Amino acid sequence: MRLRLRNVFLVYFVVSLVGLFCALRELGESRGADFGGFRGVWTPPGWAEPAQRGFGGVQRGLGGILGRIWKVWGEPALSLPPEPERPILTPSFPRRPVQKAELVRLSQTLLHVPALHWVVVEDAAAPSALVGGVLAASGVSFTHLSAETPPDLRGGPGAPSWLFPRGAEQRNRALRWLRDTRGAHEPGVVYFADDDNTYSLRLFEEMRSTRGVSVWPVGLVGGCAWSGRWSRGGVVGFHTGWRPERPFPLDMAGFAVALRLLLAHPRARFDPRAERGFLESSFLGGLVTPGQLEPRADNCTQVLVWHTRTEKPKLRQEEQLQRQGRGSDPDIEV
Amino acid sequence: MRLRLRNVFLVYFVVSLVGLFCALRELGESRGADFGGFRGVWTPPGWAEPAQRGFGGVQRGLGGILGRIWKVWGEPALSLPPEPERPILTPSFPRRPVQKAELVRLSQTLLHVPALHWVVVEDAAAPSALVGGVLAASGVSFTHLSAETPPDLRGGPGAPSWLFPRGAEQRNRALRWLRDTRGAHEPGVVYFADDDNTYSLRLFEEMRSTRGVSVWPVGLVGGCAWSGRWSRGGVVGFHTGWRPERPFPLDMAGFAVALRLLLAHPRARFDPRAERGFLESSFLGGLVTPGQLEPRADNCTQVLVWHTRTEKPKLRQEEQLQRQGRGSDPDIEV
């Protein structure tokens, strides 16, 4: 009996050592993929919350195993704040050759962000198969809607593009969807992300702590190198190259709104007849005063989003080839 | 002695059970982040190799532990093909307001791709701090180089931008770096990725099996909806809106080259004096014949890369404000 117990012990010891070795190896490999949480999305180095970063630093090798046990058993004691949902609202305009490319590119940015839900609203009578295909293939959690801009808010064929603000109808549709589906006390931060801008991944981390409306500078907007809130010696103002007298001289990409604040003000919406440059003000005016804006991005000194625009491609050769009956195969989706 | 051994056994059993529980939990959590391999990069769903997908399916719960042991101990027997390195060569042009934004955006795409190494070559006398900062913060494995285009290949101040091909000097510098640092038999696939294009993640999977030079269509290029190789009933040709008589009527984004082929032809390079549209041909002509091109992307029927271009931002307001001494704070990097 004594001998058999020892044998059992030895065999168990060897087997569990192998298991321990495998687990150590596994933990070593997956170290980088921690804390993303949502769908195994990887958090790039350097933009985790400091509290997470310090904790993550412990998790290497054997220290990793111990940290892991600590994580599993000590979780209620540590109580990291839950990752708030980040609904990202994007209007998308069909009948543009770059529509698919822009959505594909933006989806790759959003795929890095934990707890994100992408609400894409097409300016069309119904959601299109093209956009639906991009969203389904993207790997991002999404909702696909549509809301057509009424003809009287579209401007005639010769009217300048800035006569009416673009995307008001679509953003209002997304707001309605949020109000219909989210409970009044759900944590979350809502951001309006147009499909041609460039977003640093740090931006999504900065907006995470939004209590009301948070703001940051936007690069390459309104004819300026950057535009945004500034403060010096207690004085607060806005740097902008376009109508500084606006109540909220902010670009659509320059703020995020707490979901709770949005749900507490069921009438806040974008005015589709707002004067040029006043679309953001028409929405924010129903939520906060300019003095309540919460600066982020190192007190608004870091540009983490750029108002890039994609060139409208010239398809002259295509038209020429089509006249000769040799146009690009239309069965190939672009 | 008998009692003590049993106690030791019991304590060891309990401790190892806790360890097993943690390891199981860990494996369950990190399942999605498998097989990225390189720096814990996450492989989006649906584009792993079929062999990997099948194997990955085994790794759940207890099956995961067994699969893991199998992986560690059975590795020589299974012998999955090693992930070939994908050096991505990108020329970058300074003194453009959108340079940082474009690199940030491209880095987010590349961050999804396993076994990638990004070689960025600036058209400058020395690597800049701005680009260096973007690369260091990107999370992507990178090499930062510079190669200045000589004045006689730059064209005068009034010369049209297409007089000399852009990026030849920088791509040749990257090729030299590859030849200096990579062994003749290292597996790898080289791709030239300009910083303003849009790349589907599937593209990087398609190029993975490149033996010589692989090709696929490029969207929105040369005035066409798409341009690329076609084949019908054994006949092979190229669809292009621009000089179809070129030996290789391909865009820079439309092909990838096996590293071994590149190293076997040490003289293949881009001709900085090539005629407009002939830069790709000057390089590929030193490597293969048009008949040797390997079609990818479902026999060149899928557009997985788009020749998008970023608009040059108009900074009129900025100039106006600067004249009034109220320009954007230059300490804020854009």
Side-chain angles (χ1 to χ4, degrees):
Chain A
M1 176 62 193
R2 217 167 112 184
L3 203 67
R4 274 183 63 201
L5 185 61
R6 181 175 289 167
N7 282 351
V8 168
F9 178 35
L10 277 176
V11 169
Y12 185 78
F13 184 72
V14 168
V15 167
S16 64
L17 260 192
V18 170
L20 186 68
F21 171 64
C22 294
L24 273 175
R25 212 184 121 104
E26 176 61 32
L27 284 178
E29 275 175 17
S30 69
R31 210 173 55 225
D34 265 349
F35 289 113
F38 191 72
R39 296 209 198 185
V41 169
W42 179 69
T43 307
W47 70 289
E49 288 271 302
Q52 294 192 352
R53 220 186 286 148
F55 187 59
V58 186
Q59 308 181 334
R60 299 177 185 231
L62 189 64
I65 277 278
L66 296 178
R68 232 6 96 137
I69 293 171
W70 176 244
K71 189 188 165 196
V72 172
W73 293 83
E75 209 141 24
L78 270 174
S79 79
L80 292 173
E83 190 84 57
E85 191 194 22
R86 264 159 284 198
I88 305 288
L89 316 187
T90 302
S92 185
F93 301 93
R95 294 171 294 279
R96 292 176 313 133
V98 297
Q99 186 187 22
K100 184 176 177 181
E102 289 193 332
L103 289 172
V104 164
R105 183 153 63 177
L106 178 54
S107 77
Q108 294 167 355
T109 301
L110 300 183
L111 193 55
H112 288 295
V113 183
L116 181 143
H117 187 77
W118 194 16
V119 184
V120 178
V121 188
E122 286 189 80
D123 185 358
S128 72
L130 182 125
V131 173
V134 171
L135 293 176
S138 71
V140 176
S141 160
F142 71 92
T143 296
H144 185 190
L145 304 170
S146 75
E148 201 164 18
T149 305
D152 59 316
L153 294 175
R154 203 182 274 285
S161 66
W162 46 260
L163 193 62
F164 292 108
R166 274 161 64 93
E169 213 66 35
Q170 291 72 41
R171 293 190 189 95
N172 285 336
R173 176 72 191 87
L175 290 177
R176 186 147 57 84
W177 179 84
L178 273 178
R179 286 168 175 142
D180 289 348
T181 58
R182 298 300 185 263
H185 297 291
E186 273 180 61
V189 180
V190 181
Y191 182 57
F192 299 95
D194 289 354
D195 53 6
D196 50 357
N197 291 339
T198 301
Y199 307 90
S200 161
L201 297 181
R202 243 193 79 195
L203 181 72
F204 299 96
E205 200 54 29
E206 289 288 329
M207 70 178 67
R208 191 175 145 160
S209 59
T210 302
R211 288 175 198 187
V213 175
S214 57
V215 292
W216 44 78
V218 178
L220 310 175
V221 74
C224 280
W226 60 268
S227 167
R229 182 184 182 279
W230 57 258
S231 61
R232 236 168 259 115
V235 183
V236 172
F238 290 94
H239 174 71
T240 177
W242 175 256
R243 305 211 39 189
E245 75 277 12
R246 290 176 289 166
F248 294 87
L250 294 169
D251 184 73
M252 196 64 75
F255 64 90
V257 180
L259 183 58
R260 281 175 193 159
L261 181 74
L262 190 71
L263 297 177
H265 294 81
R267 289 177 175 216
R269 64 195 288 277
F270 294 94
D271 176 5
R273 295 178 189 278
E275 208 184 328
R276 188 181 179 189
F278 284 74
L279 188 63
E280 294 85 352
S281 296
S282 76
F283 171 65
L284 290 173
L287 293 171
V288 282
T289 63
Q292 291 173 319
L293 298 174
E294 306 156 22
R296 291 290 182 280
D298 296 343
N299 199 22
C300 293
T301 60
Q302 303 280 323
V303 172
L304 300 176
V305 51
W306 296 262
H307 194 270
T308 42
R309 295 166 60 100
T310 309
E311 255 183 31
K312 198 179 158 184
K314 300 182 192 91
L315 299 178
R316 231 175 320 156
Q317 274 78 10
E318 182 68 45
E319 290 153 19
Q320 218 168 358
L321 288 172
Q322 277 178 0
R323 277 194 296 273
Q324 301 165 11
R326 300 190 294 126
S328 302
D329 184 348
D331 288 346
I332 295 186
E333 186 184 276
V334 178
Chain B
M1 177 62 192
R2 217 168 109 185
L3 204 68
R4 275 183 62 202
L5 186 60
R6 182 176 286 165
N7 282 351
V8 168
F9 179 35
L10 275 175
V11 168
Y12 185 78
F13 183 74
V14 169
V15 167
S16 65
L17 259 192
V18 170
L20 186 69
F21 170 65
C22 294
L24 273 174
R25 213 186 120 105
E26 176 62 31
L27 285 178
E29 275 177 14
S30 70
R31 213 170 56 222
D34 264 349
F35 287 113
F38 190 73
R39 294 211 198 186
V41 170
W42 179 67
T43 308
W47 70 289
E49 288 272 300
Q52 292 193 351
R53 221 184 288 148
F55 186 60
V58 187
Q59 307 183 335
R60 299 179 185 232
L62 190 63
I65 277 279
L66 297 177
R68 230 9 95 137
I69 294 171
W70 176 244
K71 191 189 162 196
V72 173
W73 294 81
E75 208 142 25
L78 269 175
S79 78
L80 293 173
E83 189 86 56
E85 191 194 20
R86 264 159 284 197
I88 306 289
L89 315 187
T90 302
S92 186
F93 300 93
R95 291 173 294 280
R96 292 177 313 132
V98 298
Q99 186 186 22
K100 183 176 178 183
E102 289 193 332
L103 289 172
V104 164
R105 183 152 64 176
L106 178 55
S107 77
Q108 294 167 355
T109 302
L110 301 183
L111 192 56
H112 289 294
V113 183
L116 182 142
H117 188 78
W118 195 15
V119 185
V120 177
V121 189
E122 285 189 80
D123 185 358
S128 71
L130 183 125
V131 173
V134 171
L135 294 175
S138 71
V140 177
S141 160
F142 71 91
T143 296
H144 186 190
L145 304 170
S146 75
E148 200 164 19
T149 305
D152 59 317
L153 294 175
R154 203 182 273 282
S161 65
W162 45 262
L163 192 63
F164 292 108
R166 273 163 65 94
E169 213 66 35
Q170 291 73 39
R171 293 188 191 96
N172 285 336
R173 176 70 190 89
L175 291 176
R176 187 149 57 83
W177 180 84
L178 274 178
R179 285 168 176 139
D180 289 348
T181 57
R182 298 300 185 262
H185 297 291
E186 272 179 62
V189 179
V190 181
Y191 183 57
F192 299 94
D194 290 353
D195 53 7
D196 50 357
N197 291 339
T198 301
Y199 307 91
S200 161
L201 297 180
R202 243 193 80 197
L203 181 73
F204 299 96
E205 200 53 30
E206 289 288 328
M207 69 178 69
R208 190 174 148 159
S209 60
T210 303
R211 287 171 199 190
V213 175
S214 56
V215 292
W216 45 78
V218 178
L220 310 175
V221 73
C224 280
W226 61 267
S227 168
R229 183 184 181 278
W230 57 259
S231 61
R232 237 168 258 114
V235 183
V236 172
F238 289 93
H239 174 71
T240 176
W242 176 254
R243 307 220 24 198
E245 74 277 14
R246 291 177 290 165
F248 295 87
L250 293 170
D251 183 75
M252 197 64 74
F255 63 89
V257 181
L259 182 59
R260 282 172 192 160
L261 181 74
L262 190 70
L263 297 177
H265 293 79
R267 289 178 176 216
R269 64 194 290 276
F270 293 94
D271 177 4
R273 294 177 190 278
E275 206 185 330
R276 187 181 179 191
F278 284 74
L279 188 63
E280 294 84 353
S281 295
S282 76
F283 170 66
L284 291 172
L287 293 171
V288 283
T289 64
Q292 291 173 320
L293 298 174
E294 306 155 24
R296 291 289 182 282
D298 296 344
N299 198 24
C300 293
T301 61
Q302 303 279 324
V303 172
L304 301 176
V305 51
W306 296 262
H307 194 270
T308 42
R309 295 166 60 99
T310 309
E311 255 182 31
K312 198 180 157 182
K314 299 181 194 90
L315 298 178
R316 231 175 321 155
Q317 273 77 10
E318 181 69 44
E319 290 153 20
Q320 219 168 355
L321 288 173
Q322 276 177 1
R323 275 195 297 273
Q324 301 165 8
R326 299 190 295 126
S328 303
D329 184 348
D331 287 346
I332 295 186
E333 186 183 274
V334 178

Tab-separated table of all heavy atoms in Angstrom, chain A residues 65-100:
chain	number	residue	atom	x	y	z
A	65	ILE	N	1.409	32.865	-13.261
A	65	ILE	CA	0.535	31.875	-12.637
A	65	ILE	C	-0.025	32.438	-11.341
A	65	ILE	O	-1.228	32.394	-11.089
A	65	ILE	CB	1.326	30.568	-12.358
A	65	ILE	CG1	1.381	29.717	-13.613
A	65	ILE	CG2	0.677	29.782	-11.217
A	65	ILE	CD1	0.157	28.880	-13.861
A	66	LEU	N	0.856	32.999	-10.506
A	66	LEU	CA	0.421	33.525	-9.223
A	66	LEU	C	-0.546	34.686	-9.440
A	66	LEU	O	-1.583	34.781	-8.797
A	66	LEU	CB	1.632	33.983	-8.408
A	66	LEU	CG	2.598	32.849	-8.030
A	66	LEU	CD1	3.798	33.381	-7.273
A	66	LEU	CD2	1.882	31.786	-7.201
A	67	GLY	N	-0.191	35.560	-10.396
A	67	GLY	CA	-1.064	36.688	-10.704
A	67	GLY	C	-2.432	36.212	-11.159
A	67	GLY	O	-3.456	36.780	-10.814
A	68	ARG	N	-2.428	35.125	-11.901
A	68	ARG	CA	-3.650	34.550	-12.419
A	68	ARG	C	-4.537	34.058	-11.277
A	68	ARG	O	-5.726	34.321	-11.225
A	68	ARG	CB	-3.251	33.350	-13.289
A	68	ARG	CG	-3.818	33.294	-14.692
A	68	ARG	CD	-4.561	34.452	-15.055
A	68	ARG	NE	-3.739	35.375	-15.789
A	68	ARG	CZ	-4.185	35.998	-16.864
A	68	ARG	NH1	-5.416	35.791	-17.297
A	68	ARG	NH2	-3.427	36.852	-17.485
A	69	ILE	N	-3.896	33.301	-10.365
A	69	ILE	CA	-4.655	32.790	-9.216
A	69	ILE	C	-5.230	33.985	-8.449
A	69	ILE	O	-6.387	34.014	-8.076
A	69	ILE	CB	-3.733	31.939	-8.308
A	69	ILE	CG1	-3.319	30.670	-9.066
A	69	ILE	CG2	-4.447	31.572	-7.011
A	69	ILE	CD1	-2.262	29.862	-8.372
A	70	TRP	N	-4.391	35.009	-8.284
A	70	TRP	CA	-4.817	36.220	-7.606
A	70	TRP	C	-6.007	36.835	-8.345
A	70	TRP	O	-6.973	37.251	-7.738
A	70	TRP	CB	-3.643	37.194	-7.553
A	70	TRP	CG	-4.006	38.531	-6.958
A	70	TRP	CD1	-4.000	39.730	-7.577
A	70	TRP	CD2	-4.462	38.782	-5.629
A	70	TRP	NE1	-4.400	40.721	-6.740
A	70	TRP	CE2	-4.707	40.161	-5.516
A	70	TRP	CE3	-4.711	37.973	-4.517
A	70	TRP	CZ2	-5.154	40.761	-4.359
A	70	TRP	CZ3	-5.170	38.576	-3.357
A	70	TRP	CH2	-5.384	39.948	-3.291
A	71	LYS	N	-5.929	36.835	-9.678
A	71	LYS	CA	-6.978	37.459	-10.463
A	71	LYS	C	-8.304	36.724	-10.247
A	71	LYS	O	-9.343	37.335	-10.020
A	71	LYS	CB	-6.597	37.415	-11.950
A	71	LYS	CG	-7.539	38.246	-12.810
A	71	LYS	CD	-7.267	38.044	-14.269
A	71	LYS	CE	-8.449	38.574	-15.076
A	71	LYS	NZ	-8.441	38.093	-16.427
A	72	VAL	N	-8.219	35.370	-10.312
A	72	VAL	CA	-9.440	34.583	-10.220
A	72	VAL	C	-10.037	34.677	-8.832
A	72	VAL	O	-11.235	34.863	-8.653
A	72	VAL	CB	-9.139	33.117	-10.587
A	72	VAL	CG1	-10.355	32.248	-10.312
A	72	VAL	CG2	-8.725	33.034	-12.038
A	73	TRP	N	-9.170	34.585	-7.797
A	73	TRP	CA	-9.682	34.515	-6.427
A	73	TRP	C	-9.831	35.907	-5.825
A	73	TRP	O	-10.595	36.107	-4.911
A	73	TRP	CB	-8.756	33.656	-5.569
A	73	TRP	CG	-8.806	32.242	-6.014
A	73	TRP	CD1	-8.106	31.697	-7.037
A	73	TRP	CD2	-9.646	31.208	-5.504
A	73	TRP	NE1	-8.445	30.374	-7.205
A	73	TRP	CE2	-9.385	30.047	-6.257
A	73	TRP	CE3	-10.579	31.139	-4.475
A	73	TRP	CZ2	-10.037	28.855	-6.033
A	73	TRP	CZ3	-11.209	29.940	-4.234
A	73	TRP	CH2	-10.956	28.807	-5.020
A	74	GLY	N	-9.064	36.857	-6.308
A	74	GLY	CA	-9.082	38.169	-5.675
A	74	GLY	C	-9.951	39.168	-6.420
A	74	GLY	O	-9.944	40.339	-6.103
A	75	GLU	N	-10.704	38.698	-7.407
A	75	GLU	CA	-11.426	39.614	-8.287
A	75	GLU	C	-12.352	40.584	-7.535
A	75	GLU	O	-12.267	41.788	-7.749
A	75	GLU	CB	-12.215	38.837	-9.340
A	75	GLU	CG	-12.382	39.622	-10.614
A	75	GLU	CD	-12.243	38.718	-11.841
A	75	GLU	OE1	-12.462	37.508	-11.719
A	75	GLU	OE2	-11.917	39.234	-12.908
A	76	PRO	N	-13.207	40.087	-6.624
A	76	PRO	CA	-14.104	41.034	-5.952
A	76	PRO	C	-13.318	42.095	-5.185
A	76	PRO	O	-13.720	43.239	-5.107
A	76	PRO	CB	-14.905	40.149	-4.990
A	76	PRO	CG	-14.737	38.758	-5.501
A	76	PRO	CD	-13.389	38.721	-6.169
A	77	ALA	N	-12.152	41.713	-4.649
A	77	ALA	CA	-11.353	42.655	-3.885
A	77	ALA	C	-10.761	43.728	-4.809
A	77	ALA	O	-10.733	44.912	-4.475
A	77	ALA	CB	-10.240	41.918	-3.157
A	78	LEU	N	-10.282	43.310	-5.997
A	78	LEU	CA	-9.658	44.268	-6.914
A	78	LEU	C	-10.693	45.189	-7.551
A	78	LEU	O	-10.495	46.385	-7.648
A	78	LEU	CB	-8.930	43.519	-8.027
A	78	LEU	CG	-7.482	43.166	-7.758
A	78	LEU	CD1	-6.940	42.311	-8.879
A	78	LEU	CD2	-6.636	44.435	-7.610
A	79	SER	N	-11.793	44.609	-8.012
A	79	SER	CA	-12.926	45.327	-8.620
A	79	SER	C	-12.500	46.426	-9.573
A	79	SER	O	-12.681	47.609	-9.312
A	79	SER	CB	-13.860	45.879	-7.534
A	79	SER	OG	-13.342	47.059	-6.977
A	80	LEU	N	-11.867	46.053	-10.704
A	80	LEU	CA	-11.630	47.008	-11.781
A	80	LEU	C	-12.991	47.488	-12.279
A	80	LEU	O	-13.943	46.715	-12.298
A	80	LEU	CB	-10.890	46.316	-12.941
A	80	LEU	CG	-9.454	45.898	-12.656
A	80	LEU	CD1	-8.897	45.085	-13.819
A	80	LEU	CD2	-8.581	47.109	-12.416
A	81	PRO	N	-13.118	48.776	-12.683
A	81	PRO	CA	-14.422	49.226	-13.170
A	81	PRO	C	-14.785	48.451	-14.439
A	81	PRO	O	-13.917	48.132	-15.242
A	81	PRO	CB	-14.193	50.704	-13.487
A	81	PRO	CG	-12.718	50.844	-13.651
A	81	PRO	CD	-12.093	49.799	-12.799
A	82	PRO	N	-16.086	48.140	-14.618
A	82	PRO	CA	-16.450	47.371	-15.815
A	82	PRO	C	-16.209	48.212	-17.065
A	82	PRO	O	-16.353	49.434	-17.034
A	82	PRO	CB	-17.946	47.100	-15.621
A	82	PRO	CG	-18.409	48.198	-14.708
A	82	PRO	CD	-17.254	48.533	-13.823
A	83	GLU	N	-15.812	47.544	-18.143
A	83	GLU	CA	-15.576	48.225	-19.419
A	83	GLU	C	-16.917	48.803	-19.897
A	83	GLU	O	-17.833	48.044	-20.184
A	83	GLU	CB	-15.048	47.198	-20.406
A	83	GLU	CG	-14.531	47.729	-21.704
A	83	GLU	CD	-13.085	48.190	-21.596
A	83	GLU	OE1	-12.217	47.381	-21.219
A	83	GLU	OE2	-12.838	49.366	-21.904
A	84	PRO	N	-17.071	50.145	-19.995
A	84	PRO	CA	-18.359	50.665	-20.476
A	84	PRO	C	-18.497	50.393	-21.969
A	84	PRO	O	-17.507	50.398	-22.708
A	84	PRO	CB	-18.249	52.167	-20.204
A	84	PRO	CG	-16.792	52.470	-20.225
A	84	PRO	CD	-16.090	51.220	-19.759
A	85	GLU	N	-19.716	50.144	-22.404
A	85	GLU	CA	-19.951	49.941	-23.826
A	85	GLU	C	-19.645	51.229	-24.584
A	85	GLU	O	-19.899	52.322	-24.080
A	85	GLU	CB	-21.417	49.540	-24.056
A	85	GLU	CG	-21.646	49.052	-25.466
A	85	GLU	CD	-23.125	48.968	-25.834
A	85	GLU	OE1	-23.927	49.647	-25.206
A	85	GLU	OE2	-23.441	48.221	-26.774
A	86	ARG	N	-19.040	51.105	-25.766
A	86	ARG	CA	-18.783	52.277	-26.593
A	86	ARG	C	-19.561	52.171	-27.905
A	86	ARG	O	-19.043	51.649	-28.878
A	86	ARG	CB	-17.285	52.413	-26.872
A	86	ARG	CG	-16.601	53.368	-25.903
A	86	ARG	CD	-15.131	53.127	-25.827
A	86	ARG	NE	-14.848	51.936	-25.040
A	86	ARG	CZ	-13.670	51.648	-24.518
A	86	ARG	NH1	-12.672	52.451	-24.701
A	86	ARG	NH2	-13.495	50.566	-23.802
A	87	PRO	N	-20.814	52.668	-27.941
A	87	PRO	CA	-21.505	52.679	-29.231
A	87	PRO	C	-20.873	53.729	-30.143
A	87	PRO	O	-20.689	54.872	-29.740
A	87	PRO	CB	-22.950	53.059	-28.863
A	87	PRO	CG	-23.048	52.940	-27.362
A	87	PRO	CD	-21.662	53.173	-26.860
A	88	ILE	N	-20.490	53.320	-31.339
A	88	ILE	CA	-19.868	54.209	-32.320
A	88	ILE	C	-20.883	54.404	-33.434
A	88	ILE	O	-21.280	53.430	-34.079
A	88	ILE	CB	-18.579	53.574	-32.885
A	88	ILE	CG1	-17.622	53.191	-31.752
A	88	ILE	CG2	-17.918	54.489	-33.904
A	88	ILE	CD1	-16.949	54.329	-31.057
A	89	LEU	N	-21.311	55.642	-33.657
A	89	LEU	CA	-22.374	55.908	-34.636
A	89	LEU	C	-21.769	56.495	-35.912
A	89	LEU	O	-21.101	57.519	-35.870
A	89	LEU	CB	-23.402	56.875	-34.041
A	89	LEU	CG	-23.849	56.596	-32.591
A	89	LEU	CD1	-24.994	57.520	-32.198
A	89	LEU	CD2	-24.268	55.144	-32.390
A	90	THR	N	-22.004	55.826	-37.036
A	90	THR	CA	-21.386	56.210	-38.311
A	90	THR	C	-22.437	56.337	-39.407
A	90	THR	O	-23.060	55.334	-39.766
A	90	THR	CB	-20.341	55.156	-38.729
A	90	THR	OG1	-19.357	55.044	-37.697
A	90	THR	CG2	-19.662	55.527	-40.034
A	91	PRO	N	-22.642	57.541	-39.951
A	91	PRO	CA	-23.467	57.634	-41.153
A	91	PRO	C	-22.645	57.193	-42.365
A	91	PRO	O	-21.434	57.413	-42.406
A	91	PRO	CB	-23.791	59.132	-41.267
A	91	PRO	CG	-23.056	59.814	-40.159
A	91	PRO	CD	-22.109	58.847	-39.549
A	92	SER	N	-23.280	56.551	-43.325
A	92	SER	CA	-22.550	56.115	-44.525
A	92	SER	C	-23.370	56.459	-45.761
A	92	SER	O	-24.577	56.235	-45.787
A	92	SER	CB	-22.273	54.610	-44.454
A	92	SER	OG	-21.468	54.222	-45.542
A	93	PHE	N	-22.683	56.996	-46.761
A	93	PHE	CA	-23.390	57.508	-47.941
A	93	PHE	C	-23.131	56.624	-49.144
A	93	PHE	O	-21.989	56.447	-49.560
A	93	PHE	CB	-22.968	58.952	-48.212
A	93	PHE	CG	-23.273	59.841	-47.042
A	93	PHE	CD1	-22.323	60.085	-46.059
A	93	PHE	CD2	-24.537	60.380	-46.889
A	93	PHE	CE1	-22.618	60.864	-44.951
A	93	PHE	CE2	-24.847	61.162	-45.788
A	93	PHE	CZ	-23.881	61.405	-44.816
A	94	PRO	N	-24.200	56.041	-49.701
A	94	PRO	CA	-24.037	55.106	-50.833
A	94	PRO	C	-23.727	55.855	-52.135
A	94	PRO	O	-23.650	57.080	-52.152
A	94	PRO	CB	-25.387	54.404	-50.920
A	94	PRO	CG	-26.304	55.086	-49.964
A	94	PRO	CD	-25.595	56.252	-49.349
A	95	ARG	N	-23.559	55.075	-53.180
A	95	ARG	CA	-23.269	55.601	-54.520
A	95	ARG	C	-21.991	56.421	-54.551
A	95	ARG	O	-21.876	57.385	-55.284
A	95	ARG	CB	-24.447	56.413	-55.073
A	95	ARG	CG	-25.693	55.584	-55.335
A	95	ARG	CD	-26.894	56.430	-55.677
A	95	ARG	NE	-27.317	57.244	-54.553
A	95	ARG	CZ	-28.073	56.805	-53.538
A	95	ARG	NH1	-28.489	55.561	-53.517
A	95	ARG	NH2	-28.410	57.614	-52.559
A	96	ARG	N	-21.017	56.062	-53.702
A	96	ARG	CA	-19.688	56.661	-53.787
A	96	ARG	C	-18.719	55.509	-54.000
A	96	ARG	O	-18.776	54.498	-53.280
A	96	ARG	CB	-19.306	57.369	-52.485
A	96	ARG	CG	-20.143	58.616	-52.183
A	96	ARG	CD	-19.736	59.161	-50.829
A	96	ARG	NE	-19.687	58.069	-49.863
A	96	ARG	CZ	-18.699	57.853	-49.025
A	96	ARG	NH1	-17.653	58.651	-49.020
A	96	ARG	NH2	-18.739	56.841	-48.185
A	97	PRO	N	-17.783	55.626	-54.959
A	97	PRO	CA	-16.885	54.497	-55.231
A	97	PRO	C	-16.056	54.078	-54.014
A	97	PRO	O	-15.685	52.920	-53.893
A	97	PRO	CB	-15.966	55.033	-56.339
A	97	PRO	CG	-16.664	56.209	-56.930
A	97	PRO	CD	-17.547	56.774	-55.864
A	98	VAL	N	-15.767	55.009	-53.082
A	98	VAL	CA	-14.882	54.670	-51.965
A	98	VAL	C	-15.644	54.179	-50.735
A	98	VAL	O	-15.035	53.921	-49.696
A	98	VAL	CB	-13.993	55.876	-51.559
A	98	VAL	CG1	-13.076	56.282	-52.700
A	98	VAL	CG2	-14.830	57.054	-51.098
A	99	GLN	N	-16.981	54.008	-50.844
A	99	GLN	CA	-17.751	53.663	-49.644
A	99	GLN	C	-17.249	52.369	-48.983
A	99	GLN	O	-17.008	52.338	-47.780
A	99	GLN	CB	-19.236	53.502	-49.989
A	99	GLN	CG	-20.097	53.282	-48.739
A	99	GLN	CD	-21.550	52.949	-49.064
A	99	GLN	OE1	-21.867	52.493	-50.145
A	99	GLN	NE2	-22.413	53.179	-48.099
A	100	LYS	N	-17.054	51.321	-49.782
A	100	LYS	CA	-16.631	50.046	-49.202
A	100	LYS	C	-15.235	50.163	-48.582
A	100	LYS	O	-15.013	49.733	-47.446
A	100	LYS	CB	-16.641	48.945	-50.269
A	100	LYS	CG	-16.301	47.586	-49.689
A	100	LYS	CD	-16.407	46.464	-50.715
A	100	LYS	CE	-15.982	45.143	-50.110
A	100	LYS	NZ	-16.042	44.033	-51.076
